[in-house]
Amino acid sequence: MLVLKFGGTSVGSINNMINVKNIIHDGQQKVVVLSAMSGTTNALVTISDYIKNGQTKEALNTIDVLSNTYATTIKTLITSPDLHQNVSQYVQNVLNGLANLVNTNYSNLLYNTIVAQGELMSTYIFTHFLKQEGINAKLLPALDFMRIDKTFEPDNYYIQQNLNRIMAEDNQAEIYITQGFICRDAEGDIANLQRGGSDYTATIIGAVLKAEEVQIWTDIDGFHNNDPRFVEHTKAISNLSFDESAELAYFGAKILHPQTVMPVRALDIPVRLKNTMLPKADGTLITNQVHGEGIKAIAAKDGITAIKIKSGRMLQAHGFLKKVFEIFERYETSIDMITTSEIAVSLTIDDTTHLNAIVEELSRFAHVEVDNYMSIVCLVGNAIIFHSDTPNLFQILQDVSVRMISYGGSNNNISLLINTSDKVETLQKLQRYVFEGNPVLV
Ligand code: ADP
Ligand code: ASP
Ligand code: MG
């Protein structure tokens, strides 16, 4: 069994939906995970924000815009009159349902319910499009099998039992379509796997079905060696290991949700990244195998807060670090980077929910400084710290103000903490220093 996931752009236009149909219709049984059509989840988040702020009129206007966009798409894609009537009615019901929520009190559940509608609409439209084209497609409602537990981890046993049960109800289907991103929580309420979570849905399903391969189809020809949104001349990487891709995804490479490889890594199920618009391009294959050495790729993660904790007598004060870490542990706040000196420890976090309380507790025994708007730039590659290219990286230090460096925490990762305002320039300079071998001429 193959599991194929198509992202927002891949289902975001008529042409791309036709591309998807051509890619998946080859007579082999498979599971296809779809995101919401591009722009929809952002629009739903905006609607939810308007409701939170009591901006009812703005929320209704945004629903109207969605309604017009969907009407145009459905009109062009679903030409069979009966199916057209059926699909239009479904989408109209969803949008009317949203309109009925605009005066509701805001809650997390309201947010989760609103943002779930994008995947519900895209899968309904696409399944009926396949049926219209004479393809034996079956819609598997993710809310009937996808569930996370109290610790927000996938509830694999529940998922496996229920997914197998509903697939067995129609074991002749060629293509099983399901929603990415959405799930239920331990209480049975609508929840999700966080923004970009459709990738994670695909690997969770791949793992429970023991798939041969999980394919993530998107709008670019694989995992690039730097962030193509900010850097020119980036190149697709043909092979990555699970560790390398997990590290890059965690540190901001948007092409993969940070958790994507977790479910499949232990089962050694390969993940292949492919371009829906260029299906013949090789893409990137992610496996347990390690290929090559040296710096393979660079990614950056924003929204980082740095905390410097100074004590007059750190090294002599036995148990100082333990006291520091216990506070972060109690507030369930994970630390990404850490450096120490004789009298201070600097660390970074990305979840600032409990920042004030943490700073308050640390201040009882240390001097604390907090810096916001920081980014971590992460360089990843097998045995990176031993490779002869790596010293080139340090030339960057003469041009960019680096606040912290983590070198050697693992053999595969070097991280730099910089101001977010320096991020784009740093990524561009690193591209030239590391991959193009040129010093920066400025
Ligand atoms: P989808 O909607 O298909 O899930 P995403 O927008 O989530 O697509 O991810 C694909 C995008 O990720 C690319 O268009 C690209 O702009 C961005 N991206 C960021 N870093 C990388 C990288 N290292 N390699 C490839 N794409 C990247
Ligand atoms: N539609 C969701 C989002 O935009 C999930 C996804 O695309 O993976 O975040
Ligand atoms: Mg994505």
Side-chain angles (χ1 to χ4, degrees):
M1 181 71 81
L2 284 183
V3 179
L4 291 81
K5 173 260 171 175
F6 292 86
T9 321
S10 304
V11 291
S13 70
I14 304 289
N15 277 345
N16 288 347
M17 285 200 246
I18 294 169
N19 284 342
V20 174
K21 184 204 82 179
N22 293 335
I23 291 165
I24 62 181
H25 181 37
D26 60 2
Q28 303 248 19
Q29 204 171 47
K30 57 181 67 68
V31 176
V32 170
V33 175
L34 299 184
S35 294
M37 294 176 70
S38 54
T40 299
T41 311
N42 286 345
L44 294 169
V45 170
T46 307
I47 291 166
S48 159
D49 285 344
Y50 282 140
I51 296 176
K52 191 178 189 175
N53 300 327
Q55 294 170 273
T56 308
K57 214 173 89 206
E58 288 81 353
L60 289 171
N61 284 343
T62 313
I63 296 170
D64 270 351
V65 174
L66 276 180
S67 175
N68 291 334
T69 313
Y70 276 86
T72 312
T73 304
I74 296 166
K75 190 168 167 217
T76 322
L77 194 69
I78 314 281
T79 45
S80 139
D82 287 354
L83 287 175
H84 181 267
Q85 164 67 18
N86 172 334
V87 174
S88 297
Q89 193 59 58
Y90 178 88
V91 168
Q92 213 39 62
N93 288 347
V94 167
L95 297 170
N96 290 344
L98 284 179
N100 287 335
L101 293 174
V102 295
N103 289 313
T104 324
N105 284 337
Y106 184 82
S107 66
N108 274 342
L109 180 56
L110 182 73
Y111 169 86
N112 288 341
T113 306
I114 292 174
V115 298
Q117 305 307 315
E119 273 71 12
L120 292 171
M121 291 192 286
S122 65
T123 49
Y124 198 88
I125 295 170
F126 192 73
T127 306
H128 286 83
F129 167 58
L130 292 184
K131 288 188 172 161
Q132 170 182 278
E133 303 301 300
I135 299 171
N136 188 353
K138 159 118 176 130
L139 183 57
L140 307 174
L143 297 180
D144 290 355
F145 68 87
M146 189 56 78
R147 187 165 88 168
I148 47 175
D149 63 19
K150 285 203 169 72
T151 63
F152 308 107
E153 291 296 319
D155 186 342
N156 287 322
Y157 181 75
Y158 178 95
I159 297 168
Q160 188 168 41
Q161 296 295 306
N162 286 285
L163 179 57
N164 282 325
R165 177 179 54 76
I166 57 175
M167 284 175 78
E169 285 166 12
D170 184 354
N171 57 15
Q172 293 308 307
E174 178 191 343
I175 299 173
Y176 295 98
I177 307 275
T178 193
Q179 298 87 16
F181 176 58
I182 64 174
C183 61
R184 291 195 185 271
D185 64 15
E187 270 76 52
D189 287 333
I190 297 186
N192 61 63
L193 303 173
Q194 310 294 326
R195 293 302 306 269
S198 299
D199 304 329
Y200 193 24
T201 301
T203 52
I204 294 169
I205 292 177
V208 301
L209 295 180
K210 309 267 183 309
E212 285 148 49
E213 183 171 291
V214 175
Q215 300 181 352
I216 310 274
W217 290 79
T218 181
D219 57 3
I220 188 163
D221 58 344
F223 213 119
H224 277 219
N225 61 1
N226 205 330
D227 195 321
R229 292 169 298 174
F230 309 117
V231 179
E232 287 179 351
H233 312 306
T234 61
K235 290 201 177 69
I237 304 165
S238 52
N239 291 276
L240 279 174
S241 68
F242 287 127
D243 287 351
E244 289 165 338
S245 58
E247 210 135 22
L248 288 162
Y250 182 74
F251 285 108
K254 186 180 178 241
I255 186 164
L256 284 186
H257 179 279
Q259 312 270 52
T260 307
V261 300
M262 302 307 170
V264 289
R265 173 196 250 166
L267 299 168
D268 205 4
I269 299 172
V271 177
R272 196 182 289 276
L273 310 184
K274 295 280 288 177
N275 187 346
T276 306
M277 280 64 84
L278 268 179
K280 292 220 164 73
D282 291 340
T284 301
L285 184 62
I286 303 172
T287 62
N288 262 332
Q289 303 280 311
V290 175
H291 292 256
E293 287 191 350
I295 301 175
K296 236 183 224 174
I298 301 170
K301 179 173 171 182
D302 296 337
I304 303 295
T305 298
I307 306 173
K308 186 184 271 180
I309 305 150
K310 268 192 195 161
S311 148
R313 33 197 287 280
M314 179 177 151
L315 281 192
Q316 294 89 329
H318 177 74
F320 178 78
L321 285 178
K322 182 166 180 256
K323 249 161 102 180
V324 169
F325 289 138
E326 267 170 4
I327 294 174
F328 286 87
E329 156 121 32
R330 217 167 337 105
Y331 288 100
E332 293 180 350
T333 301
S334 56
I335 296 168
D336 281 330
M337 269 178 91
I338 174 155
T339 57
T340 60
S341 77
E342 168 104 16
I343 52 146
V345 46
S346 280
L347 45 82
T348 70
I349 59 172
D350 67 353
D351 176 2
T352 52
T353 318
H354 302 293
L355 180 62
N356 290 343
I358 290 171
V359 170
E360 211 272 309
E361 289 207 27
L362 291 169
S363 302
R364 291 181 199 156
F365 60 90
H367 175 74
V368 183
E369 286 168 29
V370 174
D371 284 316
N372 299 309
Y373 308 113
M374 310 293 289
S375 295
I376 293 176
V377 172
C378 173
L379 297 98
V380 168
N382 174 43
I384 189 172
I385 65 166
F386 306 119
H387 199 264
S388 57
D389 282 350
T390 301
N392 292 340
L393 145 77
F394 289 99
Q395 294 179 41
I396 195 105
L397 299 182
Q398 65 202 31
D399 292 325
V400 179
S401 129
V402 175
R403 163 77 197 275
M404 273 167 78
I405 299 182
S406 166
Y407 180 92
S410 85
N411 288 346
N412 306 327
N413 171 319
I414 298 170
S415 300
L416 311 173
L417 182 71
I418 57 167
N419 286 315
T420 300
S421 54
D422 292 334
K423 179 186 76 175
V424 172
E425 202 189 337
T426 305
L427 290 176
Q428 291 170 347
K429 283 182 175 167
L430 281 168
Q431 183 75 10
R432 280 176 270 171
Y433 275 129
V434 176
F435 296 124
E436 295 165 14
N438 297 324
V440 181
L441 304 168
V442 273

